[in-house]
Amino acid sequence: MTGGYDDRGNRDVSIANPAGGSAAHPVPAGGRAQPAPGGPFLIGEAMTGGYGRGADILHACTIAVERGEIAVIVGPNGAGKSTAMKAMFGMLDLRAGTVRLDGEDITAISPQARVREGMGFVPQTQNIFASMTVEENLEMGAFVRRDDFRDTMAQVYDLFPVLKEKRRQPAGELSGGQRQQVAVGRALMTRPKVLLLDEPTAGVSPIVMDELFDRIVEVARTGLPVLMVEQNARQALEIADKAYVLVQGANAHTGTGRALLHDPQVRRSFLGG
Amino acid sequence: MRTLALFALVAALILGTGVLQSWNSALIILNMGLVSAIMALGVNLQWGLAGLFNVGVMGFVALGGLAVVLTSTAPVPQAWTAGGARIIAALILGAASITLGAVAWRTLHRGRRGLAVAVIAVLGFVAFRWVLDPAVEAVEAVNPAATGYLGGLGLPVLLAWPVGGLLAAGVAWVIGKTALGLRSDYLAIATLGIAEIVIAVLKNEDWLARGVKNVIGLPRPLPYEIDLQGSPVFAGRADALGLDVTTASTLYVKLGYSVLFSAVLIAVLVLAQLALTSPWGRMMRAIRDNEEAAEAMGKDVTARHLQVFILGSVLCGIAGAMMTTLDGQLTPSSYQPLRYTFLIWVMVILGGSGNNLGAVLGGFLVWFLWVQVEPIGQWVMQIATSGMAAESALRVHLLESVQHMRLLTMGIILLVVLRFAPRGLLPEK
Amino acid sequence: MDLLNALVALANFVLIPALAYGSQLALGALGVTLIYAVLRFSNFAHGDTMAIGTMVTILATWALQSLGVSLGPLPTALLAIPFGIAGAAVLLLLTDRVVYRFYRAQKAKPVILVIVSMGVMFIYNGMTRFIIGPDDQSFADGERFLISARDFKAWSGLDEGLALKSTQAITVVTAIIVVAIVFWFLTHTRTGKSMRAYSDNEDLALLSGISPETVVRVTWIIVAALAVVAGTLYGLDKSYKPFTYFQLLLPIFASAIVGGIGSPVGAIAGGFVIAFSEVLFTYAWKKVLGYLLPETLQPDGLVQLLSTDYKFAVSFVILIIVLLFRPTGLFRGKSV
Amino acid sequence: EDARIGVILGFTGPIESLTPGMAASAELALSEVNDSGAFLTGITLVPERADSTCIDAAAATAAAERLVTTDGVLAIMGADCSGVTGAVLSNVAVPNGVPMISPSATSPALSGAEDNGLFFRTAPSDARQGEVLAQILIERDIGSVAVTYTNNDYGKGFADSFEAAYAELGGEITLTSPHEDGKGDYSAEIGALASAGGDVLVVLGYSDQGGKGMIQAALDTGAFDTFAMGDGMYSDALLADLGGDIDGSFGSVPWAEGEGAEAFSALASKAGFTAESSYTRESYDAAALIALAMMKGAEASSAAVAANVLDVANAPGEPILPGELGKALKIIAEGGEIDYVGATDVELGDSGEAAGSYRYYEITDGAFSTVSFK
Amino acid sequence: MIRVENLHRHFGGFRAVDGATLSIEKGTVTGLIGPNGAGKSTLFNVVSGALPPTSGRIVMDGEDITGLPPHALFHKGLLRTFQIAHEFSSMTCRENLMMVPGHQSGETLWNAWFGRGRIAQEEAVLLKKADEVLDFLTISHLKDERAGNLSGGQKKLLELGRTMMVDARIVFLDEVGAGVNRTLLMTIADTILRLNRERGYTFCVIEHDMDFIGRICDPVIVMAQGKKLAEGTIDDIKANGAVIEAYLGAGLRTREASA
Ligand SMILES: Nc1ncnc2c1ncn2[C@@H]1O[C@H](COP(=O)(O)OP(=O)(O)OP(=O)(O)O)[C@@H](O)[C@H]1O
Ligand SMILES: Nc1ncnc2c1ncn2[C@@H]1O[C@H](COP(=O)(O)OP(=O)(O)OP(=O)(O)O)[C@@H](O)[C@H]1O
Ligand SMILES: CC(C)C[C@H](N)C(=O)O
Ligand SMILES: [Mg+2]
Ligand SMILES: [Mg+2]
C-alpha cells in the first residue's frame, strides 16, 4: 500500500489511465504563432470548445489579463472555469475563438510551445509529478529555462519552507496542501511572462494561503500578469484588478474585483453570501 | 447494431470458409472458436470486469486438460497396486505440511514465525519427497511406453468439463489467497509463474498424466467417425442427404461438438451478461475503477477479487477440458504462453474488454485469423511474387520463407484492426 | 576437506554462469523496464527487437569479417554493434511513427498498447526469419576463453577447473556499466528527468514545456541500443537463434518485475534473482560437499533440493515469494 | 489432373530449422515421380505444405483439416513432432480415411495409437534406438554416464528406453536430467550433471536446440568432453559450430548402410540442398512410398495408399533406391513387385513402422565417420 | 463515540501521526484543523482502516476497531470521504451513488442470476434516492455523465453525495470544501447541521475554510506535527496564540477586521 494519497485506488495503469482518462486533446505540435498586435497581454477571445467530440463547454467565452494585473475567474462548480484555463493553454483544441499572447496569435501552437512563449500554468488536479521528488518537480518547472535557476528555487523554498524540508521526498507522498504548494512552486520556477493558476489555494492552510496571496500580489506588481480561478473568492476578489464570473461556459459578469465583491447578486450566488 | 454487424461478419467468414474451403474446416474453426470464446469470457470477467491482470490463463486451460485425463481414462490397476496409495499419502502429507505452515505463520509471533515456517517447509518437503519418490518410481515403471501413470477414473468424459472447472477453481483459490494482493503487472508475472509451474508439474510428473509422453486416444462424448461410416443406418441417412459417408460422418461429429460447445457458451454468456448488468456488476466495476473508494464504501474488495478470479479461472478450466476433449489427447508441451495466454488476451482486447459480447466476438475472430492467416499469407506472397522473374533470387527466397508470412500476416491484421477500433471492436459502452 | 576445490567447483558451475546469465537478463530487462517506465506498457516485441537488432549486427559482422577487419582477441561483433543499434533505432522509430504514435494520441489504455506490441512482435518475428532465416547463426570469433577449465587445472594443479569465457566477462562488465549509465541518465540529466516526468504525468509534462515526441524518440533510441547490446552479447555467449530470443522474453519480464518495474538497478537485481534461483536451487551439492566433508560423511545421493526439471518453476516460486514480501519489487518499482 | 499430397511440418516453431530440408526432400521425391513420366497417366503429384507448428495441436489439426477437406489431399507426409502427429492422426486422418506417413514422429507411444491402418512411419520408434545407443556405450566400455534429454515425448521416450537398456547391460546412470528446448541458459542442468559425474554425457536432444546448448555449456565449463548422442543431434550445423571440440564423441542415427543414403545425398546435392540433416531421408522415403503405393493401387486415392504402402515398402520385389523411382513405377506398371529400400533401408513392420537401422558414428577431425551399422 | 488513544503512524522515519490522543463525542460536528502536513488526513486514513497504525488504539463506542478493514467499518456505520476525490471514473454519477448502500441483494451472484425481480424493486428505490442526492448537489443534469468527466469541484460534491446515500453513524469529511463553490458550501454546511440534528449523525470535518468551520463545528480540534495542539470552541481556538502562530497566521485578524 502506498497509502491514502494516491490518486487512484486501483493502481493499475492498465485500466485507470494515470492521466485521469481526460478526454482533452491538446493542440498538436507544429502550428505557428501569427502576429496579432494590440489588445491585452493575454486574451482568450470568444473561445468555444469542449472535450473530445463532446458538446461545447465554453460558449464564446472571453478572458483577458493585462500586464501587471491580477485577473480572477469565479463561478459555480462546473461552469467551465478550468476548461477556459486549459483552452488558453492549448490543452484543449478550440472550435472557435482565438488566444493571443503579447501581440501574437497562439491559437494553433502546442502547449509545450506556449511554455516556451512564457506561459506558466498550475492545473486544478494532477498538478504534480507524484513519483518525482519535490526538488525534481521544481526542476521540471524550470525545464525550458537554460539559465541558472538556483535562486528561483531558493525563493520558492523561502515561500514554502516545508518544501525545503521535504525536497528529497517523492511529491506523491506529501499531504494535500503540500502538494498544492509544490504545484504552485513548479509554475513559479518557469519564470513565466504570464501565470495561470487554477485554484492555487485549494487545501492550503490559512497561514500559507495568506503568504500565497501576498506573493501573488507581489509578483503581479513586478509586471507579471496573473490569471487565476478561485473558489476562495472573497479573498481573491480583494486583490483582483479584474474579475470574471463564468456561468455555464459564458461570461456572466465582468468588472473590477471590488465591484463584483460588492455586487449583492454575485455575492449571494457565487461567494457564499 | 455494430454488434450485430460484426457477428454477422464472423458468421460470414465461417460460412465463407465452408463454401470456399470446406465445411469441415469451417466447423473446426467454429468449434475452437466456441472454446476460445469461453476462455475469452473468463479473461474478460477477470480483466474487463475486475481489472485483474491474469496472464496465467494457460495454467487453467491445462488443468482443464488434466481433468479430462483424470476423469475419463481407464485406471491402471497395476500402477495403483505399485504405488497408488503411497502417492495419495504423500499428497496428503504435502497438503498437511503446507496447511501447518500457513497456520504457523498466522498464529505465531512475528519474531519467530519465519524460522518456524522455514523449518516446517523443509521438513515437510523432505518427508513428502521421501514418501513420494519410491512410489513414483514404481508407478512410472509400469509399462512406460503405454501407461506409466495411475490412469483416471474411467467416468464419462462430459463429466470432465465441470471437473476441469473445479480443478481450476481449487488452484485459483490458492493463488487468490496468496497473490491477489499484488497489483497489475506484479500480479501478472505471479500468475504467469504459476501457470508455468502447473505446466512444469504436468510435464514432469509422469505418474499423473504421463508427462511429456502425452495421453492420446482420450474417450469421446460422441461416436467415432469410423463407427458411423460402418453403420448402415448412418450411411443410409447420409445417402438420403446426398453426402458421401465419410464427409457426413466427419461433419456429424463436428456438428455434435458444435452443439455441445454452443450450449456451454450460451449458458455461460447468459450468466455473465446477467451478472454484468446487476448490482454485482456495478460493484465490480466500482472496484475496478477505484479499489480504495470501493473499500471505503463497504465493499470487501479482497473477497470480490477472489470470487471473480475463481469464476474466470473456472471458465478457462472448463474451456480447457472442452478443448482437450475435442483434441482427444493431452500434450503438455503444447501449452505455450503465446498460444494459450496471450492469444486469449488478444481476443479479449481486440473484441473489446469489459464487454462480454466483445470477448466472444474476439474469440471467434482471432481464432479464425490464427487458422486462416496461413493461407492468407501464402496467397499474399503469391500475388507479391507473381510479377517477378521466375528465377530471380528474391522470388525464390520469398517463396521459401512463405511460412513465415503466417505470423507476419497475423501481426498486420492485428494492427490494422486495432487501428480502426482502438478500444476494441465492441468497446465497453 | 578441500576448500579450494569446493570453491572452484561452485564458482565454475554456479557463480560464474549465474552471474553471466543474470547480466544477460538484466540487459534485456533494462530495455523492457525503460519502455514500461516511460511509455507505460509491457513491450512484447522486445525479444524480437533484440533478435532483429542482433541480426543487423551479425550481417555487419560478416561484412567486417569479409573485409578482414578484426578486433584481435575480442569478437569482431563488438565493432558491428553500432550498425546494429542504428538499424534497430531506425526500425523502432519507424514503428513508433507508424504504430504507437497513433495510440498515444488516442490516449489508449496501456493494455491496448501491450496487444499492439504483440502485433509488432509478430511482424518483427516474420521479418527476422525472412532475412536471416530461423536457423542458428554463428558469428563469434576472437578468443572464446579468458581462461579455460583445462588451462586452469594445469595452472593451479587443482582437480576442478574454472572456466571464464571472454563473453561472460564482457557481459557482466557491460551490464553493470550500462545500468549505472542509465540510472545516472534518468536521475541526473535533463533529458532523463524529462523522461521520468513524462512517464509520471503526461499532461503536466506538456505544461512544463517538455516535448513528448522528443522524449519518446530518445526512449526508443536508448531501447534500441540496449536491445542490440543485450542481444549481441547473448548471441556471442550462447548462440543466435531468433526463436530463443522470443523465449527469453519471459525471464526478462520476470527480472524486470521482480526488480521493480521502472528501476534500472532493479533490472540487474531481478536478473540475478532469476538466474541464481534457477541455478542454486537445482544444483546438486554432491561435488562441493564431497570436497568439504570428511570421507565418512560423504553424501550418497546428489544432495539436490529439486531436480532441474523444475528450474523455471523454482525461479518463479522465488519470484512470487519475493513479491509477497515486496509487492512492488525489490527496488520499489512503479506501483501503477 | 492433380493429385495433392499434404506436407505437414513445423515450419514455424521449435524445429523450424529442420523442416525446410525435410520438406524439400519430400518434394524432391514427388517431382522425381512426376518427372519420370511413368506415374498414373494424366496425374501429377502436387505437394501442399501446411504448418504443424510442432507444438500447437489445435493449429496443426486445423491446418490438416484444411488440407484434407479443402485442398483434398489424398495422403499426408507428416506430421513431424509426435504430439501434433497424434492429434492430426486421430482428429483428421482417421475420420477422413487419409493415410499419414510421418518421417520423424518417433515417440514409442504412437505405436499403440488407434490408427485404423492409416498411420505409417519411416523413422524407427525410439524404443529401439535406446537399445542401440546402450549397446554402443557398453561396446566402448563406458560404465557410467549422465543423461540429458529434450523434455518432450521424443526425448522422454528415448531416455526411458535407453535407461532400461543400459541398466540391463550393467551400466550405471548417475543422473537423468531433462532440458527444455529454446531456452536461454543451461547452466543449472550442467551444474547438476557435472556434480553427478559420469564418463560421458548422453545427449538425447536436438542439434539446433537445447541439445547443442547443453553440449556447449558442458564444454565451456569443462564438465564433460565426450558426448554420446541420439539421432536428433546429428547435423552438419553441430560440427560447424563445435567442430574439433567434440572430437571423440559418438552417437547413433537412423541410417541405412551404403547405397541408398549415398544415392539420396547425391540427389539432394543435385537439387541444391544438403541431405546431411535429420529426417531428410525419412521424408524422401515417406513421400516416395505414397507415390509408389498409389501406383500400386492403380489409382490416385487415399485408399490405394493405405492399402499398398506395406506392399511396396517390403520384400519381395526389386529393391529400389532413391533416384530410381521412375524405374519402380515402370515395374509396377508392368505388374511386377518392388521392395522400396530408399534412403533409409525402409522395412515397415506389421503396424506400419520402420524397424530401421542405425549408424554408429564417431566424430573424428571435425567430421562424422562411420564406425558400424546396427 | 470515537476515541483515538496515543496513535502513531510513521512513514519510514517520519512521524506523520505522533501520539495523537483525541475523542469525538457522539452527536457533535467536530472540526479538525491544522497546518498542511499536520497529519490530519493520515489520522483519518488510520481511523477509517485505510492505513494500519504503527501503534495505538482506536475505540468506537467502546469497541476496539483498530486495524479493521474499511469495508467492515463501513458496515459499522463509519463513512469517510477522500481529500483527493476518489470517484469511480468510468461509471455514471448515478451509478457512483447507487453502488454505495451495503447489503444490496443484487450484490450476490446468486441473486444476480436468479433474483432479478427483487433486484428491480431495490434498484427503483435506490435510483430515486440517488436522484434526490444529485438534485441536492446541483449536479442532477450530470446523472448520466461519467464521473471521470466531472469538474474538480463536482467530483468533490459526488464524494460527499456518497455519504448521503446511507444512514451513517459517523462521517469523516476530508476537505469537502476545497474547490467547492462557497455558496454551495454554505448549503452543504446547512445539510451537515441538519443531518446532525435530525438524524443524529456524528461528523468529523477537516477543512481549511474557517468560515465553514466556524459555522458548523463545535468543538474544534487543532493538530500540529502529528499531535493534538488544542481543542475548544471555535472562538477559543481563534484566540489561541499557539494556533494562530502555527495555523491561522496574523492575517486572519486583519482580514476579519476588514470584512
Ligand atoms: N506515504 C507517505 N510516505 C511518507 N510520508 C507521508 C506519506 N503520507 C503522508 N506523509 C507525510 O505525513 C505528513 C502528514 O500528512 P497528512 O496528509 O496527514 O497531512 P494533513 O494534515 O492532511 O495536511 P493537509 O492539510 O495538507 O491535507 C505530511 O508531512 C506528509 O508528507
Ligand atoms: N475531461 C472531461 N471530459 C468531458 N467533460 C468534462 C471534462 N472535464 C470537465 N468536463 C465537463 O465540463 C464542464 C466544466 O468543467 P470545468 O472543469 O471547466 O469546471 P470548473 O468551472 O472548473 O468547475 P470547478 O469549480 O468544479 O472546478 C463540467 O460540466 C464537466 O462535466
Ligand atoms: C522432427 C523430430 C525432431 C521429432 C521428434 N523425433 C519427435 O518425435 O517429436
Ligand atoms: Mg475547475
Ligand atoms: Mg489532508
Side-chain angles (χ1 to χ4, degrees), chain D residues 15 18 22 54 80-83 104-107 126 152-154 206 231-232 279:
Chain D
I15 62 156
L18 287 184
M22 295 168 68
C54 182
D80 45 3
C81 298
S82 303
S104 63
T106 50
S107 161
D126 295 318
N152 63 18
D153 48 352
Y154 156 68
Y206 300 126
D231 61 334
Y279 301 113

Side-chain angles (χ1 to χ4, degrees), chain B residues 17 20-25 28-29 32 140 144-145 196 203-204 206 210 212-214 216-217 220 225-226 229 246-247 249-250 254 323 326-329 331 333-336 339-340 367 370-372 374-375 378 400 403-404 406-407, chain D residues 11-12 16 48-51 53 55-59 61-63 65-67 69-71 82-88 90-92 94-97 107-110 112-114 116 149-154 156-157 160 178 180 183:
Chain B
T17 307
L20 294 175
Q21 300 188 345
S22 74
W23 290 105
N24 267 304
S25 287
I28 210 170
I29 291 175
M32 271 307 290
E140 289 178 2
E196 291 286 342
K203 271 181 159 175
N204 294 310
D206 290 13
R210 283 177 48 81
V212 291
K213 290 183 293 182
N214 307 338
I216 56 178
R220 268 194 183 178
E225 289 87 348
I226 14 177
Q229 288 159 18
T246 312
T247 316
S249 67
T250 51
K254 293 200 179 76
M323 192 187 75
L326 182 68
D327 286 348
Q329 60 172 354
T331 43
S333 46
S334 73
Y335 291 102
Q336 299 275 324
R339 162 69 183 85
Y340 288 101
W367 180 253
W370 190 244
V371 174
Q372 295 292 25
E374 194 189 351
Q378 290 184 351
E400 268 170 10
Q403 295 298 343
H404 304 304
R406 189 174 137 240
L407 293 182
Chain D
F11 295 102
T12 62
E16 58 190 13
E48 282 293 337
R49 291 191 187 191
D51 193 353
T53 71
I55 39 175
D56 183 348
T61 309
E65 188 76 41
R66 198 188 73 239
L67 283 190
T69 58
T70 305
D71 299 333
S82 303
V84 291
T85 305
V88 171
S90 62
N91 296 326
V92 183
V94 171
N96 289 295
S107 161
L110 282 170
E114 195 72 51
N116 213 20
Y149 62 89
T150 172
N151 201 15
N152 63 18
D153 48 352
Y154 156 68
K156 176 73 182 173
D160 278 352
E180 300 286 336
K183 288 289 155 81

Side-chain angles (χ1 to χ4, degrees), chain A residues 5 176, chain E residues 41 83 174-175:
Chain A
Y5 284 106
Chain E
S41 299
Q83 178 169 9
D174 195 351
E175 297 198 23

Side-chain angles (χ1 to χ4, degrees), chain A residues 5 174-177 203, chain E residues 35-42 83 174-175 206 208:
Chain A
Y5 284 106
L174 299 186
S175 84
Chain E
N36 293 131
K40 306 180 296 294
S41 299
T42 308
Q83 178 169 9
D174 195 351
E175 297 198 23
I206 298 182
H208 290 299

Side-chain angles (χ1 to χ4, degrees), chain A residues 1 3-7 75-78 124 166 175-179 181 199 202-208 210 231-232 234-235 238 267-272, chain E residues 14 35-37 41-42 45 50-51 83-84 86 151-154 157 175 178-184 186 208 210-211 245-249 251-252 255 258:
Chain A
M1 287 280 292
Y5 284 106
D6 236 330
D7 302 22
N77 292 118
Q124 181 173 11
K166 306 227 166 215
S175 84
Q178 292 165 342
R179 286 166 163 234
Q181 298 173 22
E199 303 205 20
V204 301
S205 69
I207 194 168
V208 178
D210 287 344
Q231 288 297 4
N232 211 328
R234 265 187 280 164
Q235 228 171 329
E238 284 202 21
R267 271 188 88 102
R268 194 161 5 91
S269 318
F270 308 112
L271 308 185
Chain E
F14 183 81
N36 293 131
S41 299
T42 308
N45 281 328
L51 283 178
Q83 178 169 9
I84 292 164
H86 277 41
S151 78
Q154 289 167 338
L157 294 176
E175 297 198 23
V180 171
N181 183 271
R182 286 303 180 268
T183 305
L184 182 55
M186 291 309 140
H208 290 299
M210 295 308 288
D211 292 343
E245 193 192 339
Y247 181 61
L248 296 171
L252 188 69
R255 252 198 336 271
S258 75

